[in-house]
Amino acid sequence: WAGEDWLLSPLVTVVVILNFFLMGMRQPNIIVIEVAGLFNKMRLKAVGEVIVNLLVSFLLLFVFDMGIYGVLFGTTISMVSICIWWEILAVHKYSLKTSMKKYALKFALYLLVAFIGCFSVYDITTRIRVGGIGGLLISGVVAVMVYAAIILIIYGRSREFRALLDRFIRKGKRE
């Protein structure tokens, strides 16, 4: 309805979704940092994040002429290179007092599964050749079903998945 000139490229959309996903993955650590009062441990992280984000974003924007994609990808790079590992380290070193290795490996596995799921959904939904609102609805339903199947196949037998499922079942019985 707004015209072709106002559409973002699929690559920009992917980076926006990636940033949203990474922010969601960071939230448990951010909550622990806030609850445990680890703000002093985050001072240098904040400075490093801003410096990396600005430098990389300006480099991608002005030197490589990448436009909005460059700015968004600069945010992704600063999150991955500074924020994520620093927050994991702070939580495990200063609050939980455990090694961050197991958590970091599980975090990487979650990222891998998410990428596999997203690319699988993208590959399948781009083959749907129905236009208009009907095509959007069909693509949405297919995307949810494919991603849910991937999650069930990979995590269906895990302890975490069963605990989450039990929580939903208990909540459903109360209502």
Side-chain angles (χ1 to χ4, degrees):
W1 58 271
E4 292 289 323
D5 293 342
W6 290 92
L7 288 178
L8 294 175
S9 73
L11 193 54
V12 170
T13 306
V14 166
V15 176
V16 168
I17 292 168
L18 176 62
N19 286 345
F20 180 76
F21 175 76
L22 290 174
M23 279 302 299
M25 290 290 290
R26 290 175 55 199
Q27 288 309 305
N29 291 318
I30 291 170
I31 290 169
V32 172
I33 288 166
E34 289 180 11
V35 169
L38 300 175
F39 305 110
N40 283 340
K41 309 298 182 195
M42 296 291 111
R43 289 183 312 211
L44 289 176
K45 182 212 74 137
V47 173
E49 176 184 7
V50 168
I51 290 171
V52 169
N53 195 345
L54 286 174
L55 288 176
V56 172
S57 293
F58 281 129
L59 179 75
L60 295 175
L61 179 64
F62 295 117
V63 176
F64 293 102
D65 196 30
M66 295 174 78
I68 189 170
Y69 168 71
V71 173
L72 292 169
F73 197 58
T75 300
T76 306
I77 291 171
S78 72
M79 260 195 279
V80 171
S81 66
I82 302 292
C83 299
I84 291 173
W85 71 266
W86 198 305
E87 291 159 357
I88 293 172
L89 176 67
V91 165
H92 285 81
K93 184 174 182 179
Y94 300 112
S95 181
L96 302 177
K97 302 195 185 326
T98 61
S99 171
M100 66 182 244
K101 185 177 181 180
K102 185 177 178 183
Y103 181 85
L105 289 173
K106 195 166 258 198
F107 191 94
L109 174 67
Y110 292 156
L111 286 175
L112 178 65
V113 170
F115 285 131
I116 290 169
C118 287
F119 287 119
S120 299
V121 165
Y122 179 77
D123 183 54
I124 292 168
T125 56
T126 54
R127 296 170 194 264
I128 297 173
R129 299 287 179 219
V130 179
I133 194 78
L136 179 64
L137 291 173
I138 292 169
S139 293
V141 169
V142 169
V144 168
M145 289 172 46
V146 169
Y147 206 82
I150 291 170
I151 296 299
L152 281 173
I153 290 168
I154 294 174
Y155 297 119
R157 292 193 172 121
S158 72
R159 182 175 44 106
E160 296 93 344
F161 187 83
R162 281 185 271 132
L164 184 63
L165 191 60
D166 288 344
R167 182 176 288 172
F168 279 120
I169 291 170
R170 280 195 308 267
K171 187 171 181 113
K173 286 181 180 177
R174 277 189 259 159
E175 293 177 2

